[in-house]
Amino acid sequence: MAHHHEKSSHTEGHVHRHESMDGGHDKHAGHSPQMFRDRFFVSLLLTLPILYGAQLFQQWLGYRAVQFAGSEWITPVLAVVIFFYGGWPFVEGARRELAARLPGMMTLVALAISVAFAYSLSVSLGLQGMPFYWELATLVDVMLLGHWMEMLSIQSASRALEHLASLVPPIAHRVTDRGTEDMPVSELGEGDVVLVRPGEQVPVDGVVGDGTSSVNEAFLTGESRPVAKERGDEIVAGSVNGEGALRIQVTRTGERTTLSQMMRLVHEAQASRSRFQALADRAAYWLTLIAIGSGAATAASWAAAGREIAFVVERAVTVLVIACPHALGLAVPLVIVNATSLSASHGILVRNREAFERARDLRIVAFDKTGTLTEGRFVVRGVYADGPGEQEALRLAVGLEASSEHPLARAVVEEGERRGVRTAAVADFRAVAGKGVEGRLDGALYRAGRPEWAGEMGLGVGEAAKKGLDEAAARGESVIALMDESRVLAILALADRVRESAREAVRRLKEMGVQVVMVTGDAEAVAKTVAQELGIERYHARVLPQDKSRIVRELRREGPVAFVGDGINDAPALLAADLGVAIGAGTNVAIESADLVLVENDPLDVVRALRLAKATYRKMVQNLFWATGYNAVAIPIAAGVLYAWRILLSPAAGALLMSLSTVIVAVNAMLLRRVRL
């Protein structure tokens, strides 16, 4: 559908403002996964000749590098390129971190590579000492790889508001004295009259001036049942018109429509979400301070002990290299990359990388009912026939409803197919807007539609039909009355079908110690029936869209809350919850506001997602513990604490140890793939 121009400009402002918030990662402002990928591969290629020429590698592997005039300058020149091309994002990042007074990983990486680079270059230009070119190059490579992985795991920023804006058509048919003219919605004013043809979306909020139809407002209420509209009824922008043409008098346009209010709600919820700073960033921050402090203290101590400058710098750089939080930098992103691909293969899409951290200690899961716990489509639950038998009543009903477009009619036809009903052709068929349908079958006139229609015509209602009406009312179900010219022949009760896996999901969540709450815009009777069927003790019925987020906020006082929904009206609630889960066949907007998206429409996936989250969090904690624990041991050794016992780490060994810790963290992250969901 074309974009709604009037709103798209203010929408984009919201969306872009949200982008920097999405990962809580300002260190990646202006960065993309492709940028890190390209820099990584280029730097890696340039590193190979440096490794080939490194003294250490020649000793280890027992070969002599080819020598020729000027060959000693190949390594420094490549190192300059690697530093300024591969290392520059870290220098930039460090500048931003320091400007924000939050030194972290970027600062430490930048410091280590800058000191190593400056010192190595000085050695090449004549200073006494051993250069650290290969350490510098591999340092930059591993950091670029880590950040590329991390960027891949940070999902794209939210597009929710753009989807909402696109719900309103850009063009409206305004009714004038000369007929109708098409004009942009943005030019409509209050009091104008617009024509909305069958199947079109309503462009403005207004009041029906003329015509009767049924309108699907599911985007707003989450309610799958079309709502009958006639003269004087309110109607909202974004809803879809059913079978009749409507003339609508405009009451609100642009920013003031219900849809725009909802966009504002979503935006505010996005802006007010707390910024979860990853554990690794906090650890890296402290490690940075400790490393800089240790590096400075090490250099000062050795200088005071009268050691030569090369040794002092070597110690300081070794401390910085060893403290370089590679393992920390990869600890979380690698777990997340594995978790996201594992979950994707199970039909769970992760939109927000912090979802795993939040999901682990959930106390309450709140489900929206329509389309989530239920299928959002009607099925015939019962046929209450007075005169003819059930099969005959269904045959007549299918005959009439086969020509209708209404969702309830489709449900009747599907039930007929399921029971193998053979039906007669209908003659003189016509749809009576807001009432039902009528036509001749086997020469006799029959009608199917709202029970109120039978009342208006004063038709008799038999025992079975009365019982059917009472039971359907108690369960909050929709009803179709089948009539001939003198009485009601049968009542068909239709209900929104409960998803097969919903019962199992509720049972398993309870086993995990999670409380299940149902939230629905439906009437008390419907809510009660579905809750009993699923074994849910707590439910909220007749909830208006704007109240869903309020209920979620109230539930959060009892502990962390996940909200599972599919409608646009769920977007504010998805954002208000600690964990927003969208069921896939829902609207794009719900998907864009959620942290997790379940592709399969299966509530059991909520259980799988929680299991995965717990396992993911465990791996993250293990990795962080390893990455920091390794530093606690390695930094003092690098500083030369064991020098009296002739134990001293060269920067090369330091870089190797650092790489080893990174490998261990990576392997541990890969083990996540063995988790049984």
Side-chain angles (χ1 to χ4, degrees):
M1 166 168 290
H3 259 280
H4 176 33
H5 302 297
E6 167 199 4
K7 298 227 184 90
S8 60
S9 57
H10 87 265
T11 315
E12 280 158 24
H14 290 344
V15 173
H16 293 315
R17 222 169 323 164
H18 181 70
E19 268 173 39
S20 63
M21 301 187 290
D22 201 38
H25 263 265
D26 292 343
K27 65 181 184 195
H28 288 317
H31 294 171
S32 71
Q34 292 72 30
M35 181 201 86
F36 280 114
R37 183 195 61 202
D38 298 346
R39 288 180 195 238
F40 166 68
F41 283 119
V42 171
S43 303
L44 188 62
L45 278 174
L46 297 179
T47 302
L48 297 175
I50 295 180
L51 293 178
Y52 171 72
Q55 289 290 311
L56 192 73
F57 280 79
Q58 295 185 44
Q59 281 166 25
W60 281 353
L61 302 173
Y63 67 89
R64 297 273 313 151
V66 179
Q67 300 285 324
F68 51 86
S71 62
E72 73 274 14
W73 286 104
I74 290 179
T75 294
V77 167
L78 291 177
V80 169
V81 178
I82 289 175
F83 179 77
F84 284 105
Y85 179 66
W88 202 247
F90 303 109
V91 178
E92 281 282 283
R95 211 193 62 216
R96 268 202 295 273
E97 282 183 354
L98 293 171
R101 295 199 182 79
L102 271 178
M105 197 152 59
M106 290 292 196
T107 309
L108 200 49
V109 176
L111 196 61
I113 63 176
S114 304
V115 171
F117 175 67
Y119 176 70
S120 302
L121 212 53
S122 312
V123 171
S124 292
L125 296 171
L127 186 78
Q128 277 297 295
M130 276 285 291
F132 306 137
Y133 285 122
W134 76 265
E135 291 93 330
L136 168 72
T138 50
L139 208 61
V140 171
D141 295 344
V142 179
M143 289 321 287
L144 286 170
L145 177 64
H147 286 267
W148 173 30
M149 290 289 154
E150 186 175 6
M151 291 298 286
L152 284 177
S153 71
I154 297 172
Q155 293 296 312
S156 58
S158 187
R159 300 273 176 276
L161 299 153
E162 288 175 18
H163 285 303
L164 273 173
S166 71
L167 273 173
V168 178
I171 298 294
H173 318 299
R174 188 171 73 167
V175 179
T176 61
D177 309 336
R178 294 184 298 285
T180 62
E181 57 173 7
D182 285 359
M183 62 186 301
V185 171
S186 50
E187 289 173 26
L188 288 174
E190 273 180 49
D192 281 347
V193 175
V194 270
L195 173 69
V196 182
R197 302 192 174 106
E200 289 186 333
Q201 275 184 313
V202 179
V204 286
D205 285 10
V207 173
V208 178
D210 194 19
T212 49
S213 182
S214 61
V215 172
N216 182 342
E217 295 181 345
F219 91 89
L220 186 70
T221 57
E223 189 41 79
S224 45
R225 191 185 306 186
V227 184
K229 297 283 180 188
E230 48 189 55
R231 200 189 173 112
D233 287 344
E234 276 261 330
I235 200 160
V236 289
S239 47
V240 181
N241 185 21
E243 66 286 338
L246 295 173
R247 288 181 179 222
I248 297 167
Q249 186 161 12
V250 179
T251 54
R252 290 187 296 274
T253 59
E255 299 282 315
R256 293 177 46 237
T257 61
T258 309
L259 188 63
S260 291
Q261 304 291 338
M262 196 168 253
M263 288 166 71
R264 202 194 67 247
L265 268 179
V266 171
H267 173 64
E268 283 168 7
Q270 284 177 341
S272 67
R273 161 171 287 170
S274 68
R275 290 174 53 173
F276 241 80
Q277 205 195 4
L279 278 167
D281 285 352
R282 279 206 293 283
Y285 169 73
W286 284 108
L287 190 59
T288 305
L289 299 185
I290 292 165
I292 294 170
S294 319
T298 303
S301 314
W302 287 115
R307 297 307 294 254
E308 68 281 7
I309 179 82
F311 183 83
V312 173
V313 172
E314 184 185 90
R315 285 303 96 221
V317 170
T318 308
V319 168
L320 288 176
V321 166
I322 256 222
C324 217
H326 272 156
L328 256 181
L330 287 174
V332 176
L334 275 181
V335 173
I336 295 202
V337 167
N338 278 298
T340 37
S341 55
L342 178 70
S343 57
S345 62
H346 285 83
I348 302 165
L349 303 182
V350 180
R351 281 203 65 259
N352 191 328
R353 45 179 288 215
E354 291 147 12
F356 294 124
E357 292 164 46
R358 287 195 226 128
R360 75 183 199 286
D361 47 11
L362 285 173
R363 304 255 44 83
I364 298 172
V365 175
F367 283 95
D368 170 53
K369 178 189 80 76
T370 311
T372 306
L373 291 172
T374 62
E375 290 180 4
R377 60 188 195 94
F378 291 97
V379 291
V380 175
R381 182 192 57 79
V383 180
Y384 301 85
D386 269 310
E390 269 190 38
Q391 203 73 353
E392 172 63 9
L394 197 57
R395 184 182 80 85
L396 294 169
V398 170
L400 283 172
E401 298 287 25
S403 311
S404 171
E405 289 298 305
H406 202 282
L408 293 180
R410 279 204 294 278
V412 172
V413 174
E414 279 170 19
E415 180 67 9
E417 285 170 4
R418 199 176 64 76
R419 293 204 199 176
V421 170
R422 304 182 73 90
T423 183
V426 63
D428 303 335
F429 174 84
R430 75 186 190 101
V432 183
K435 306 274 172 82
V437 294
E438 62 178 34
R440 290 185 181 279
L441 287 160
D442 312 326
L445 181 69
Y446 294 100
R447 295 187 175 94
R450 299 167 65 169
E452 291 83 356
W453 194 14
E456 286 167 23
M457 294 188 294
L459 304 180
V461 182
E463 283 304 306
K466 272 207 184 80
K467 176 171 174 259
L469 284 169
D470 292 345
E471 280 187 21
R475 296 172 64 98
E477 291 166 346
S478 299
V479 173
I480 293 178
L482 175 70
M483 313 159 253
D484 61 10
E485 299 199 56
S486 59
R487 63 184 180 135
V488 174
L489 300 175
I491 290 289
L492 285 76
L494 295 97
D496 188 359
R497 182 152 74 202
V498 170
R499 287 190 193 279
E500 276 310 304
S501 60
R503 273 184 210 83
E504 179 68 4
V506 170
R507 190 181 64 72
R508 287 207 202 158
L509 284 169
K510 284 182 181 169
E511 279 174 10
M512 290 166 80
V514 176
Q515 195 181 12
V516 181
V517 180
M518 184 175 80
V519 181
T520 177
D522 270 350
E524 177 73 26
V526 184
K528 190 174 178 185
T529 306
V530 174
Q532 279 173 346
E533 233 176 289
L534 292 172
I536 295 175
E537 283 88 35
R538 283 176 77 175
Y539 62 86
H540 296 263
R542 290 213 171 282
V543 178
L544 296 169
Q546 55 271 35
D547 292 343
K548 280 188 185 173
S549 53
R550 178 182 57 78
I551 287 174
V552 168
R553 281 197 297 275
E554 283 169 12
L555 288 171
R556 281 184 70 184
R557 291 187 198 135
E558 300 170 36
V561 173
F563 182 82
V564 187
D566 74 326
I568 293 177
N569 60 306
D570 296 334
L574 287 167
L575 284 156
D578 295 283
L579 184 73
V581 183
I583 288 251
T587 56
N588 291 339
V589 179
I591 290 174
E592 292 293 345
S593 324
D595 300 305
L596 297 176
V597 181
L598 310 179
V599 181
E600 288 294 324
N601 296 345
D602 182 356
L604 260 177
D605 281 343
V606 175
V607 180
R608 294 188 186 108
L610 291 193
R611 280 205 187 124
L612 179 69
K614 283 179 160 50
T616 305
Y617 189 77
R618 251 197 330 274
K619 285 282 176 228
M620 283 192 220
V621 172
Q622 286 166 5
N623 275 0
L624 290 175
F625 179 76
W626 169 256
T628 43
Y630 136 83
N631 275 300
V633 176
I635 290 177
I637 299 176
V641 176
L642 303 180
Y643 185 60
W645 292 273
R646 288 277 170 269
I647 296 176
L648 195 61
L649 278 178
S650 67
L656 239 153
L657 263 180
M658 174 202 74
S659 303
L660 190 66
S661 77
T662 311
V663 170
I664 292 172
V665 163
V667 170
N668 190 33
M670 297 303 266
L671 292 176
L672 187 64
R673 292 175 177 271
R674 297 171 58 177
V675 171
R676 306 285 322 128
L677 294 188

